[in-house]
Amino acid sequence: MKLLLVEDEKRMAQALCEILRLEGYEVDHYTDGTDGLAALESGIYDIAVLDVMLPGMNGFEIAKKARQEGVRTPILMLTAKGELDDKVTGLDSGADDYLTKPFMTKELLARLRALYRRTASVSDGRLKFGDISLNTNTSELSCTTNGQSVRLSEKEYRILEYLITNGGQILAREQFAVKIWGFDCEAEYNNVEVYMSFTRKKLSFVGAKTEIKAVRGIGYELRCQDV
């Protein structure tokens, strides 16, 4: 799971990055609100964790602007403020949850898991779309109508996970390149097309009616008909 952390308090940020990475999250960290907003608008993150007090743009402003731009990434707001009005402001700005500092690590991790389940429609460790089911523990793809299954490679799994968790939206090739290979990777767009082809073959192998469709000049989307 890819997570965005926007936090300018150095010690807090270092501790959170270490904890989250130990839990298996991929974490990109920013200290400035303006940079954090630009990263959030990329659409490559599964969850964003935003501090409220930030240079450049505060967490409330980031959430509000991101929602205005159509970004649906779940947002967890972190702040030292505990007053009811601040919580209401955060939620009204577009945040999905609110955690007051100081907090226990277990609570943070539980809230992140809850946000992911809520958004991705995870049931019993599975992501579901149309007639396919993706096991988040074993990377196994199954067709729910015939029971056929196959194990996915790491990149195939991440491609399908990204498509399913974005609810059938059209996602640009650039988003896949950054999501799967990372900001600093020199992966070319033909890599995206190659792994899309591999993933399509796995969908075909299990006999799924769910397909990855290319939208000319834009990107890819997941579609399922006649299920």
Side-chain angles (χ1 to χ4, degrees):
M1 191 187 306
K2 199 172 185 69
L3 188 147
L4 171 66
L5 173 64
V6 189
E7 167 65 73
D8 67 327
E9 187 179 333
K10 187 175 181 180
R11 289 185 179 180
M12 170 67 77
Q14 289 177 338
L16 286 176
C17 285
E18 183 175 352
I19 290 167
L20 292 167
R21 285 167 182 153
L22 285 173
E23 290 293 320
Y25 291 92
E26 292 183 53
V27 184
D28 288 336
H29 170 229
Y30 293 86
T31 59
D32 179 86
T34 303
D35 293 338
L37 174 62
L40 181 56
E41 289 178 334
S42 71
I44 66 169
Y45 296 100
D46 298 299
I47 299 176
V49 179
L50 310 178
D51 188 28
V52 170
M53 304 304 292
L54 294 165
M57 180 181 292
N58 67 43
F60 298 146
E61 293 170 329
I62 295 173
K64 185 175 182 179
K65 181 66 174 176
R67 295 305 186 225
Q68 290 173 344
E69 295 296 325
V71 176
R72 301 198 302 179
T73 303
I75 295 174
L76 175 64
M77 199 78 77
L78 299 180
T79 181
K81 297 180 179 180
E83 291 79 4
L84 178 60
D85 286 347
D86 290 315
K87 294 181 180 180
V88 171
T89 300
L91 296 173
D92 284 346
S93 297
D96 298 275
D97 201 357
Y98 197 103
L99 192 57
T100 303
K101 301 176 185 177
F103 51 81
M104 299 294 290
T105 299
K106 287 184 178 180
E107 183 178 7
L108 170 65
L109 295 174
R111 287 176 182 258
L112 291 175
R113 289 193 296 269
L115 278 177
Y116 185 66
R117 286 195 301 270
R118 187 190 313 169
T119 305
S121 300
V122 177
S123 176
D124 298 326
R126 294 178 179 273
L127 290 168
K128 297 178 180 179
F129 185 95
D131 64 342
I132 62 172
S133 174
L134 187 61
N135 191 310
T136 61
N137 297 315
T138 65
S139 299
E140 188 175 69
L141 169 68
S142 302
C143 177
T144 58
T145 57
N146 61 26
Q148 183 73 28
S149 63
V150 67
R151 182 69 61 86
L152 301 180
S153 71
E154 184 259 344
K155 287 184 173 59
E156 292 166 350
Y157 170 85
R158 293 184 65 187
I159 284 171
L160 268 185
E161 179 190 40
Y162 192 32
L163 285 164
I164 293 173
T165 55
N166 279 278
Q169 293 184 79
I170 299 174
L171 301 171
R173 287 190 304 170
E174 292 85 351
Q175 289 177 286
F176 283 100
V178 175
K179 174 75 173 179
I180 309 302
W181 284 272
F183 278 114
D184 298 325
C185 183
E186 296 180 355
E188 298 180 1
Y189 294 140
N190 68 316
N191 286 346
V192 176
E193 294 174 0
V194 167
Y195 279 93
M196 283 293 173
S197 176
F198 291 160
T199 310
R200 285 187 176 114
K201 289 177 181 177
K202 294 292 178 69
L203 288 168
S204 177
F205 177 81
V206 299
K209 293 182 179 179
T210 298
E211 299 177 295
I212 299 173
K213 293 289 189 179
V215 181
R216 182 173 296 180
I218 303 178
Y220 302 90
E221 67 174 327
L222 207 54
R223 294 183 192 169
C224 187
Q225 299 177 349
D226 303 323
V227 176

